[in-house]
Amino acid sequence: MRGIRIRTLLAAAVAVGIAAGPVAFPASAAGPAPAATALGAQVSDPAGPVLAKVIAGLPSKDATAALVRVGGTEGVWRGSAGVHDLESGRAADPDARFRAGSVTKVFTAAVVLQLASEGRIDLDRPARAYLPDLIPASYGTVTVRQLLNHTHGIPAARTPGDTVEEWYANRLEIRDPRAMVRSATAQPREFAPGTEQHYLNIGYTIAALIVERVTGDSYEHQLAARVLHPLGLRNTYSPGTSPLIKGPHNHGYQTMRLEDGTEGLRDVTVWSPTDGWAAGDLISTTADLERFTRALFAGRVVRGPLLEEMFTLPKVADHTSGEPAAFSAGLSMKVLGGREVWGKTGGRWGYNTAIASTRHGERTLVYSVNSTDAKGQDVNRVAMGLMLATFGAPSS
């Protein structure tokens, strides 16, 4: 999950009727008749009525569809709402594939940590030791661990365009990861490595290139062989350079300026994923991401002491806000409902995604929300409502 101001969280909690504290919903609670469908044979979560209320009424100005899975020992709930596409208006496919965005980083971190457990990657070794032909001496002290926890100080690669309209015009451009690294490392560092945290994609682009260097194999094949295939994630895949989503999927839309000068929604389902690559290109389903989350938190993806890298926050401040670091290797943490919730959000045009869980998997959440401003400054209200309905509000 990305860093979110407490004031924003509390405002969203009030909007969905959640008290600041541990989540507790009476079994008899009932909201207005929702435009949501509860799925699955076991629907036992007491927060179900509130979750249904959050996704009721889609499509709306904030989102056109939502797919939700809550699990764990504290209750189970499945729901979907909204439309497959605005043109036909038919119901959203609850089993649809979608762009997982930065949830990809959790998978990439897991691959790197597996290789570290095998002694093939040293987290404390400089990235330049693995990629001397790509990482310049000016970034020679950046370690692999710092790539994963965003304390490397390398700025973002330069991208063409400054507005969503310009990015849309370039949506089919194919970007090379090595060229992105060269673009980033040609710039001055943002801060001395290990002294601050700035959440960016570039560290994961470099980490995936290290995976390729030490294995002599493609990142995509290593991901499939180490994570996707062993867990049976049959609907999760790396799209390569294809701008399409293979198989059933609900369309994504983005609010932007149209040709006639008005503001409206444009279908952004088809978009090149190469600017994200190992930091944000995965395509998946809520069922697959739920299975992955359970396995990860149970220690069946990254085993032994290295799993703790994913639950350890660096003791530095955020480069932008000055608040304590919120990102570990792959995950981030927020205290909700009086307990730590670990997970990761992702945003690709037309799609917001999240996985989240309490530390030992007592309560999990996976959602895909077809947000109409998926990469906007503000957190999507439907997505935030789902997070708070599942785990509760911050205590302060």
Side-chain angles (χ1 to χ4, degrees), residues 22-206:
V23 63
F25 302 101
S28 61
T37 304
L39 307 171
Q42 185 183 14
V43 182
S44 59
D45 196 288
V50 181
L51 289 162
K53 181 180 179 181
V54 170
I55 62 175
L58 299 183
S60 69
K61 67 181 183 65
D62 297 308
T64 59
L67 314 178
V68 188
R69 298 175 74 93
V70 173
T73 57
E74 297 179 2
V76 174
W77 191 82
R78 309 281 185 261
S80 67
V83 295
H84 167 270
D85 65 277
L86 292 175
E87 289 72 22
S88 72
R90 62 188 174 92
D93 181 350
D95 300 316
R97 293 175 177 176
F98 48 82
R99 300 191 189 279
S102 286
V103 172
T104 306
K105 292 183 177 71
V106 191
F107 288 77
T108 301
V111 172
V112 173
L113 292 173
Q114 284 187 9
L115 288 165
S117 72
E118 298 165 11
R120 302 173 73 179
I121 289 179
D122 183 344
L123 298 182
D124 292 315
R125 192 179 185 194
R128 190 167 191 263
Y130 296 100
L131 301 169
D133 53 326
L134 188 61
I135 306 299
S138 56
Y139 287 100
T141 63
V142 172
T143 67
V144 177
R145 177 180 281 107
Q146 290 165 352
L147 296 175
L148 296 182
N149 67 19
H150 305 282
T151 61
H152 46 74
I154 304 172
R158 298 190 185 280
T159 57
D162 297 310
T163 66
V164 64
E165 293 80 14
E166 291 172 326
W167 294 322
Y168 177 79
N170 293 306
R171 67 192 182 282
L172 300 182
E173 179 182 346
I174 295 175
R175 307 197 68 203
D176 175 68
R178 290 166 181 80
M180 289 193 290
V181 174
R182 293 189 186 98
S183 168
T185 57
Q187 304 172 62
R189 69 187 187 186
E190 294 187 324
F191 49 82
T195 63
E196 298 179 53
Q197 184 175 80
H198 189 187
Y199 176 83
L200 292 170
N201 283 350
I202 193 65
Y204 279 73
T205 302
I206 298 171

